[in-house]
């Protein structure tokens, strides 16, 4: 085992040995499928057949700019971004800049989707460490690892994308002298799935 950085050796003793961190009841993604779409024809053909269904659809744009229509909203989808389409959301892909593309899809069931509500109706720019988690998930899928490892890796990836989305929402806030407004907007963004300016 590698040496632990010195600053971490100075963590404080717990004040209560029976009360820790982590109150969230984290849902587990199930029934996971992963696949690529590499041509305009294949992407649009399958999207017509599956425009609205009960599963979550996580999409990563690796190559080729396009547009994604989710319900009444249209989003430009560029390489380096991710998007989470929630169950029963109408979605359609259009205006691709090339007939050749690389879009990765991961679809799954999730009984309690409230944890991911902040990712509804938007795109997220993926941070480098999140990209590494995408590669790890692909590796597990490709090598046929046991399901629980895949489920844990997908949950970790979803939480990382959620963090990236919150960082993006914070960056879009206007410069204001009072940090309280920024904090309020961040909380509203987490609660409602979108940033609201006071």
């Amino acid at each position: 085992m590698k040496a632990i950085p010195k600053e971490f050796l100075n963590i404080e003793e717990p004040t209560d040995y029976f009360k820790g961190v982590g109150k969230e009841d984290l849902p587990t993604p199930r029934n996971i499928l992963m696949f690529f779409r590499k041509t305009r024809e294949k992407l649009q053909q399958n999207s017509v057949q599956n425009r609205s269904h009960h599963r979550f659809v996580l999409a990563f744009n690796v190559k080729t700019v396009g547009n994604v229509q989710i319900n009444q909203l249209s989003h430009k989808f560029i390489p380096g971004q991710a998007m989470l389409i929630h169950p029963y959301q109408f979605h359609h892909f259009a205006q691709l800049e090339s007939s050749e593309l690389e879009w990765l899809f991961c679809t799954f069931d999730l009984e309690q989707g409230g944890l991911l509500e902040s990712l509804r109706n938007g795109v997220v720019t993926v941070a480098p460490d999140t990209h590494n988690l995408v590669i790890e998930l692909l590796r597990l899928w490709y090598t046929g690892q046991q399901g629980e490892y895949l489920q844990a890796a997908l949950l970790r990836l979803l939480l990382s994308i959620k963090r990236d989305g919150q960082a993006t929402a914070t960056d879009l806030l206007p410069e204001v002298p009072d940090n309280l407004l920024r904090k309020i907007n961040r909380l509203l963004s987490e609660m409602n799935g979108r940033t609201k300016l006071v």
Side-chain angles (χ1 to χ4, degrees):
M1 183 175 179
K2 292 182 179 179
I4 295 175
K6 290 182 179 180
E7 61 267 25
F8 297 149
L9 296 174
N10 297 321
I11 60 174
E12 297 179 1
E13 284 287 313
T15 55
D16 186 331
Y17 283 90
F18 298 97
K19 291 183 180 179
V21 175
K23 296 180 181 179
E24 291 287 341
D25 184 15
L26 296 177
T28 305
R30 303 176 192 279
N31 197 17
I32 301 166
L33 291 171
M34 296 188 71
F35 50 91
F36 271 99
R37 290 289 174 256
K38 298 182 180 180
T39 66
R40 174 187 285 128
E41 291 73 21
K42 191 75 171 174
L43 177 72
Q44 294 180 336
Q45 174 188 350
N46 283 271
S47 70
V48 168
Q49 297 171 356
N50 301 290
R51 284 184 174 178
S52 178
H53 48 72
H54 69 281
R55 290 168 62 78
F56 282 87
V57 178
L58 179 60
F60 296 94
N61 188 335
V62 181
K63 183 176 79 174
T64 301
V65 175
N67 270 58
V68 181
Q69 180 84 22
I70 301 180
N71 292 341
Q72 295 82 24
L73 300 174
S74 181
H75 303 275
K76 190 170 186 178
F77 195 35
I78 65 175
Q81 289 185 328
M83 171 180 290
L84 182 66
I85 301 166
H86 287 239
Y88 302 109
Q89 283 193 304
F90 171 90
H91 53 281
H92 177 67
F93 311 111
Q95 298 177 359
L96 298 168
E97 290 188 353
S98 170
S99 60
E100 302 297 321
L101 58 138
E102 285 182 20
W103 288 13
L104 170 65
F105 289 89
C106 176
T107 71
F108 56 94
D109 295 325
L110 193 69
E111 291 183 7
Q112 301 171 1
L115 179 74
L116 305 176
E117 191 61 28
S118 63
L119 295 174
R120 184 186 291 270
N121 299 329
V123 295
V124 175
T125 300
V126 174
D129 56 336
T130 303
H131 179 264
N132 292 338
L133 295 178
V134 175
I135 300 302
E136 174 62 13
L137 185 68
L138 274 171
R139 186 190 68 78
L140 291 171
W141 178 263
Y142 184 78
T143 57
Q145 291 294 318
Q146 294 181 6
E148 60 264 31
Y149 295 109
L150 193 69
Q151 289 173 277
L154 177 54
L155 178 57
R156 186 179 178 199
L157 173 59
L158 289 167
L159 291 173
S160 188
I161 293 171
K162 180 179 178 179
R163 181 205 60 207
D164 293 346
Q166 290 168 342
T168 301
T170 302
D171 290 342
L172 291 175
L173 293 176
E175 290 299 323
V176 292
D178 186 1
N179 282 337
L180 179 60
L181 176 59
R182 192 173 288 272
K183 290 177 182 177
I184 290 171
N185 278 308
R186 190 181 309 115
L187 288 172
L188 287 171
S189 175
E190 292 173 6
M191 288 171 25
N192 299 327
R194 56 180 148 337
T195 302
K196 290 186 177 179
L197 298 178
V198 178

